[in-house]
Amino acid sequence: AKDPVRVLVTGAAGQIGYALVPMIARGVMLGADQPVILHLLDIPPAAEALNGVKMELVDAAFPLLKGVVATTDVVEATTGVNIAVLVGGFPRKEGMERKDVMGKNVSIYKSQASALEKHAAADLKVLVVANPANTNALILKEFAPSIPEKNISCLTRLDHNRALGQISERLNVQVSDVKNVIIWGNHSSTQYPDVNHATIKTSDGEKPVRELVADDAWLNGEFISTVQQRGAAIIKARKLSSALSAASAACDHIRDWVLGTPEGTWVSMGVYSDGSYDVPAGLIYSFPVTAANGEWKIVQGLPIDEFSRKKLDLTAQELSEEKALAYSCLS
Ligand code: NAI
């Protein structure tokens, strides 16, 4: 039998946490033959609720779940963890300035960077979910210099999956037959959902999405804004932000990273830019990636047309501004 993998979920008493921890304990994230030990972290005001989540995990009698560490102590939470899914953060409240929310979150991510650097396992992989996800991940990377940058990422897979979902609905095809959309840039409304390389599996082989949709106005307009604004649309409908889809996307992200992407398929991940596609180096930016043997690689050489170029640059610009704002909060 395999040794258990220790998976940390921060903000585990929150809504995404509640959807995510049973998925991990069922093997959705790491596979149906991989035992796990869950480390759940939240802050003292949520300690009682966190303990309730632990009670339910015990009650669910998940065969793969070999232990639960539920704590408000960041050292206990991070000790020995192989995977960290960072969902905990400070939400934007009415009347708060962007800078104030940024300041709260960068200080949380700076301190979690140090704890992970000191106490996590050497093979630690980090996924930041909490917003501003790209910039929180960047702060974590910069304040945990001994964690290799290839082991730090942020979640844009939800946006990627939303794009697959919109194409599948529009063409009335199975979502599993749609692939190779790309989310470029920030997990925010400036992200660029790109279908120029996306394909559909048909009985006649793979066909470009552009050819089958045959409506460039929709693909360059409403499709993009629907994906960009989907988070807001869910909040409007549910009065709560996306939780089950975010949790599912977090599992997809880690699973593909650890177990590899299928041949011929790429996914979107927020990763440290090396300057690929003329995206400024030193930002956490969402790119198309493939993964094998636990390592991701940015897909190279895709042609970028003029329409796309502007959109890649716009979202990079926003990330550079967020980075500057984050640093101004720290100083
Ligand atoms: P929530 O408010 O229900 O849960 C957040 C939890 O984090 C709370 O239990 C809170 O006590 C905890 N927390 C706060 N500070 C903490 C700290 N320093 N350490 C540990 N835990 C801490 O929020 P929800 O809906 O679960 O969303 C969580 C985050 O995920 C938000 O920042 C949200 O904007 C973001 N999000 C990101 C998505 C993405 O695709 N990247 C999609 C959906 C949400």
Side-chain angles (χ1 to χ4, degrees):
K2 292 184 172 176
D3 287 336
V5 168
R6 290 180 184 269
V7 183
L8 166 64
V9 176
T10 71
Q15 324 185 62
I16 295 176
Y18 192 72
L20 177 60
V21 294
M23 292 183 189
I24 301 172
R26 272 209 183 276
V28 175
M29 178 179 275
L30 293 167
D33 63 345
Q34 177 59 63
V36 292
I37 296 174
L38 278 168
H39 287 223
L40 312 180
L41 176 71
D42 213 294
I43 49 177
E48 200 180 349
L50 183 67
N51 193 46
V53 173
K54 179 179 175 176
M55 287 158 68
E56 286 205 67
L57 284 168
V58 171
D59 296 349
F62 294 114
L64 289 171
L65 186 59
K66 302 304 173 189
V68 181
V69 178
T71 181
T72 57
D73 174 28
V74 72
V75 174
E76 191 184 3
T78 50
T79 297
V81 298
N82 308 99
I83 289 171
V85 186
L86 306 180
V87 183
F90 194 91
R92 184 164 185 167
K93 295 187 181 144
E94 238 182 296
M96 267 180 94
E97 295 289 332
R98 212 162 84 93
K99 184 166 192 221
D100 299 332
V101 194
M102 179 72 83
K104 298 265 189 210
N105 283 296
V106 296
S107 67
I108 292 171
Y109 281 80
K110 189 181 165 194
S111 77
Q112 293 190 350
S114 323
L116 287 166
E117 189 170 45
K118 284 201 202 90
H119 307 291
D123 67 349
L124 172 72
K125 285 181 162 64
V126 181
L127 167 60
V128 178
V129 176
N131 283 313
N134 300 57
T135 299
N136 285 342
L138 182 66
I139 293 300
L140 190 119
K141 187 238 158 245
E142 307 233 315
F143 289 91
S146 72
I147 302 177
E149 63 203 31
K150 68 177 182 13
N151 290 1
I152 296 176
S153 66
C154 82
L155 188 71
T156 56
R157 183 63 175 269
L158 174 54
D159 309 293
H160 180 102
N161 288 349
R162 285 167 172 164
L164 297 176
Q166 288 303 308
I167 299 293
S168 143
E169 295 261 282
R170 168 83 184 199
L171 292 174
N172 197 19
V173 298
Q174 298 292 318
V175 72
S176 55
D177 290 339
V178 190
K179 69 174 190 179
N180 295 354
V181 298
I182 303 168
I183 302 299
W184 298 96
N186 200 0
H187 171 68
S188 77
S189 59
T190 68
Q191 66 175 258
Y192 171 42
D194 175 0
V195 294
N196 289 330
H197 313 279
T199 61
I200 313 277
K201 191 164 125 194
T202 73
S203 50
D204 237 1
E206 279 181 5
K207 302 272 186 210
V209 162
R210 275 215 185 262
E211 185 184 311
L212 293 192
V213 171
D215 183 348
D216 284 343
W218 183 76
L219 284 172
N220 295 345
E222 196 184 330
F223 163 76
I224 293 176
S225 57
T226 300
V227 175
Q228 289 172 333
Q229 304 295 334
R230 189 68 159 182
I234 302 285
I235 293 176
K236 188 156 179 281
R238 254 178 34 94
K239 322 288 177 243
L240 287 169
S241 65
S242 331
L244 89 83
S245 54
S248 181
C251 290
D252 289 346
H253 176 115
I254 297 287
R255 190 197 57 236
D256 287 344
W257 186 2
V258 172
L259 301 175
T261 44
E263 185 66 42
T265 300
W266 65 65
V267 295
S268 303
M269 273 173 76
V271 295
Y272 197 63
S273 170
D274 61 355
S276 291
Y277 296 99
D278 293 322
V279 169
L283 295 175
I284 298 270
Y285 190 97
S286 180
F287 286 101
V289 303
T290 54
N293 306 313
E295 299 211 6
W296 54 265
K297 255 204 318 243
I298 298 173
V299 175
Q300 296 295 333
L302 298 172
I304 305 294
D305 65 16
E306 205 181 317
F307 177 87
S308 301
R309 186 70 253 169
K310 289 201 179 103
K311 295 210 169 324
L312 263 73
D313 292 344
L314 184 79
T315 189
Q317 180 60 36
E318 183 185 52
L319 281 167
S320 299
E321 286 164 20
E322 275 190 19
K323 180 177 179 176
L325 182 63
Y327 273 91
S328 77
C329 295
L330 287 169
S331 61

